[in-house]
Amino acid sequence: MKMIAKVASTAALALALVACGKSGGGSGNTTTTAENTGPKLGIRPSGDETVGPDMSKIKNPDLPKVFDYIDKHIDEHVVNLQKWIQQPSISNTGEGIQESAEMVKGFFDQLGCQKTQVYDVGKTKYGTQGNPVVYAKCDEGAKKTLIVYWQYDTMPVTQPDLWKAPPFEGRIVEQAPFKKVLIGRGAVNSKGGEMTFLNAVMSIKAVTGKLPVNIIFVAEGDEERMDIGLNKFMTEHMDLFAGADGVWGGGGSEGCVFVELKTSGKSWGRGPVYSDIHGGNKRSVDAPAWRHIQMLSKLVSEDGNKVLIPGNSPETEAALHKQAENYDLKRAAQNLGVARFISDDPYTQLKMARTGTSMNLDGIWGGNMFAGGSGAILPNQIISKHNFRYMPNMKGPDIVKKLRKYLDQLGYKDVEINLVGDVPWAIRDRNNDQARAMTYAQEIFTKPLTPGGTGAYWPAYLFSGIETNIDLPIAAVRGGTGGNAHAANEWYVIEGAGKQFGMATAEKLVATALYQYAGLNGPIIPAPAKPGATDGGASGS
């Protein structure tokens, strides 16, 4: 594994965050050019929010100053997110990945981290090239050290015609009940929340000259490719994380294994064996495509909601009743861009989303893939992509073995299985100081409503002692919100409404949580919470 040489690209040169002061200034009186001439977006820091910080619980005198700084610079902070959205970073195609890695390194340089590097991870254990990992270490002389996990990659734009604004413009629009949201690929998954964090720590440093905790950043470009590059980096560089006390991340993670299934005339011994042929030949030639479709129909129930592969039935019961009490099922569906969920009961929906098993058909292709018109083709092969979400008592490689065995039993020995990647399950443990500090910070801000509701994977296992010697508490606060992850018109709230925070209040929540975790905002009052089921990761896929 080697460090990538710094490139003098346009993206790499345009790194400076706007109006966040000089890192390490210390006086709190630093004035930048952007403060006088910066963009004027007219962002209302509190928007139409009905919740916010209980200032009687803010004990550290630095925090009100940080809050004030955030309010005064929120326009520039939104511009920071817009600039990041404008840099494509699509891991599945490679578009903008190298430039994005350098851009993220520039963020960490501006924060004043003493060590920042972009690593070429090389070939992964799955045989594919991993995308660069950005590492930074920021020693603030603090007592505690947090590893902060980021992904800088995003999903591709698959349906550009459905976007209300160009996906890499970062346009701000009105979207009820919010007066201002930002539209863009990566807005909620996951650049919005990550830039909220960066704006918060840059604001702390502009006001006080130092952070309340030391930070070790690790930013991957393969989250949407099963974290294959991060797996290689973490397993080979565990020493870079020595001395850390916790991880700022999305808590637990569901298990996910991703495979490609391929049916071809060559392997089958029937139908076209070399290339596609004229579709008129179907009258006398077998079709691998129809064979593939029939094979898929035997793997799930007729409605697609139950996996039929033997041995893949879920057994674990999750304690989700309390979460269901305040779960807005209608808003969660709206944020996700679906008409409704399978279940109309909040508890059942949460249980299915976060503890169930599933086999999804992520994509399928072969033959005539051109929009419109005609063109008679009998494909010589067809390939489909599938992600399996699985339970803590299950393992991804074992699922693939069972899939292979089941296909063989059904008479599909010729169907090829390509393992793309696997992310093991990791359980959230809430019984630790970090989790309690985050919970108390949320309570200071009267527990903002952040509807979402889908389970998601993220590489929590690499920080939980699975495949590494890094086994740390994982917790974070989530004040910012958005929707349409992986979909058209992905969005992130800029001006909040009701109990949903906008960007400025979310930044204040981050700052408060860091001070609370550092022990600089009074004691953590709530009693220890019992370990519970994972609720997935805010940045997951």
Side-chain angles (χ1 to χ4, degrees):
M1 187 177 296
K2 59 185 178 180
M3 183 179 73
I4 296 177
K6 188 173 183 180
V7 296
S9 66
T10 302
L13 293 175
L15 297 173
L17 294 178
V18 182
C20 283
K22 297 179 180 178
S23 61
S27 66
N29 296 319
T30 302
T31 300
T32 66
T33 301
E35 286 182 79
N36 298 321
T37 63
K40 304 298 182 184
L41 300 180
I43 305 299
R44 297 174 299 152
S46 298
D48 299 309
E49 298 163 12
T50 58
V51 290
D54 180 350
M55 296 305 293
S56 69
K57 296 180 180 179
I58 300 297
K59 307 298 183 181
N60 192 294
D62 288 339
L63 280 172
K65 298 175 185 177
V66 173
F67 293 175
D68 183 60
Y69 185 93
I70 290 169
D71 285 346
K72 290 180 178 178
H73 294 83
I74 189 57
D75 278 13
E76 292 87 350
H77 289 186
V78 173
V79 171
N80 291 337
L81 177 56
Q82 288 179 311
K83 288 183 176 180
W84 199 11
I85 294 293
Q86 289 160 7
Q87 172 58 61
S89 51
I90 303 174
S91 52
N92 280 278
T93 65
E95 181 184 356
I97 286 295
Q98 298 294 335
E99 296 87 346
S100 296
E102 289 293 336
M103 192 174 192
V104 171
K105 178 182 182 297
F107 295 161
F108 302 154
D109 285 333
Q110 177 120 7
L111 182 60
C113 299
Q114 292 86 353
K115 179 179 181 180
T116 61
Q117 290 185 6
V118 178
Y119 286 86
D120 179 352
V121 301
K123 287 290 183 69
T124 71
K125 67 180 182 181
Y126 298 103
T128 49
Q129 172 70 33
N131 285 328
V133 170
V134 188
Y135 173 88
K137 188 170 185 178
C138 316
D139 187 350
E140 303 289 327
K143 294 181 180 179
K144 293 183 178 180
T145 299
L146 276 178
I147 298 171
V148 176
Y149 166 82
W150 276 17
Q151 68 172 96
Y152 64 83
D153 65 314
T154 71
M155 286 292 288
V157 177
T158 55
Q159 297 173 304
D161 294 344
L162 298 181
W163 286 73
K164 65 179 69 173
F168 298 111
E169 178 184 318
R171 184 183 301 178
I172 297 174
V173 303
E174 182 173 351
Q175 180 174 296
F178 308 105
K179 292 294 173 54
K180 287 184 172 68
V181 304
L182 185 147
I183 300 290
R185 175 54 85 226
V188 70
N189 187 19
S190 294
K191 293 179 178 180
E194 290 164 356
M195 184 54 71
T196 294
F197 181 91
L198 188 63
N199 285 335
V201 293
M202 289 292 289
S203 297
I204 293 172
K205 207 153 189 184
V207 171
T208 70
K210 63 179 181 179
L211 301 178
V213 296
N214 309 312
I215 293 179
I216 298 174
F217 284 102
V218 58
E220 67 161 319
D222 277 316
E223 204 275 349
E224 304 298 358
R225 298 200 310 162
M226 305 299 293
D227 314 292
I228 57 175
L230 183 67
N231 177 284
K232 178 83 177 296
F233 178 80
M234 296 289 291
T235 54
E236 292 187 357
H237 291 278
M238 289 180 277
D239 58 302
L240 293 178
F241 302 91
D245 300 292
V247 180
W248 182 281
S253 171
E254 65 184 350
C256 180
V257 63
F258 205 103
V259 300
E260 288 182 347
L261 299 180
K262 177 181 177 181
T263 300
S264 67
K266 182 178 180 180
S267 296
W268 183 21
R270 303 181 72 92
V273 297
Y274 175 69
S275 72
D276 300 341
I277 64 174
H278 195 291
N281 290 299
K282 181 63 196 77
R283 289 170 292 191
S284 58
V285 177
D286 288 310
W290 282 122
R291 176 175 173 80
H292 194 88
I293 297 301
Q294 291 167 358
M295 176 268 295
L296 292 181
S297 70
K298 295 178 173 65
L299 301 182
V300 295
S301 59
E302 188 173 344
D303 58 10
N305 295 334
K306 182 180 180 181
V307 183
L308 299 181
I309 301 171
N312 279 344
S313 299
E315 300 293 340
T316 303
E317 182 74 19
L320 296 170
H321 286 289
K322 185 174 182 180
Q323 296 181 43
E325 292 174 2
N326 298 312
Y327 186 66
D328 189 334
L329 200 63
K330 183 178 180 181
R331 178 62 59 81
Q334 181 182 3
N335 285 359
L336 191 60
V338 299
R340 55 178 289 180
F341 293 109
I342 295 173
S343 173
D344 293 323
D345 173 63
Y347 168 76
T348 303
Q349 162 56 19
L350 285 170
K351 180 180 177 181
M352 294 174 70
R354 297 175 181 176
T355 69
T357 58
S358 66
M359 176 186 176
N360 187 51
L361 175 57
D362 296 89
I364 187 167
W365 67 95
N368 185 348
M369 301 296 291
F370 303 100
S374 62
I377 291 178
L378 199 168
N380 74 303
Q381 67 179 27
I382 185 168
I383 299 174
S384 55
K385 290 185 176 184
H386 308 272
N387 75 79
F388 290 84
R389 307 286 166 142
Y390 60 87
M391 301 295 293
N393 62 335
M394 307 166 90
K395 294 183 179 180
D398 185 54
I399 291 174
V400 177
K401 290 179 182 178
K402 289 175 178 172
L403 173 62
R404 176 74 276 165
K405 181 179 179 180
Y406 188 50
L407 289 176
D408 292 350
Q409 291 175 348
L410 293 174
Y412 295 101
K413 292 183 178 181
D414 56 287
V415 173
E416 301 173 32
I417 301 176
N418 172 37
L419 174 59
V420 177
D422 176 51
V423 176
W425 189 284
I427 295 292
R428 171 193 287 261
D429 178 10
R430 295 185 176 90
N431 192 16
N432 56 74
D433 286 344
Q434 183 179 342
R436 288 190 285 274
M438 299 300 132
T439 298
Y440 186 56
Q442 294 271 13
E443 291 181 355
I444 290 175
F445 281 71
T446 61
K447 290 189 176 180
L449 176 64
T450 55
T454 59
Y457 79 78
W458 74 284
Y461 75 100
L462 292 171
F463 306 101
S464 304
I466 303 173
E467 297 192 26
T468 70
N469 62 8
I470 305 167
D471 188 3
L472 298 169
I474 304 173
V477 295
R478 182 187 173 201
T481 190
N484 289 5
H486 292 210
N489 299 309
E490 185 175 351
W491 55 278
Y492 188 73
V493 174
I494 300 301
E495 287 188 2
K499 293 183 178 182
Q500 292 181 298
F501 289 175
M503 195 170 193
T505 308
E507 290 177 13
K508 296 172 188 176
L509 174 58
V510 169
T512 303
L514 292 176
Y515 272 81
Q516 196 68 44
Y517 174 64
L520 300 177
N521 190 55
I524 303 170
I525 298 175
K530 295 181 179 179
T534 176
D535 63 358
S539 64
S541 292

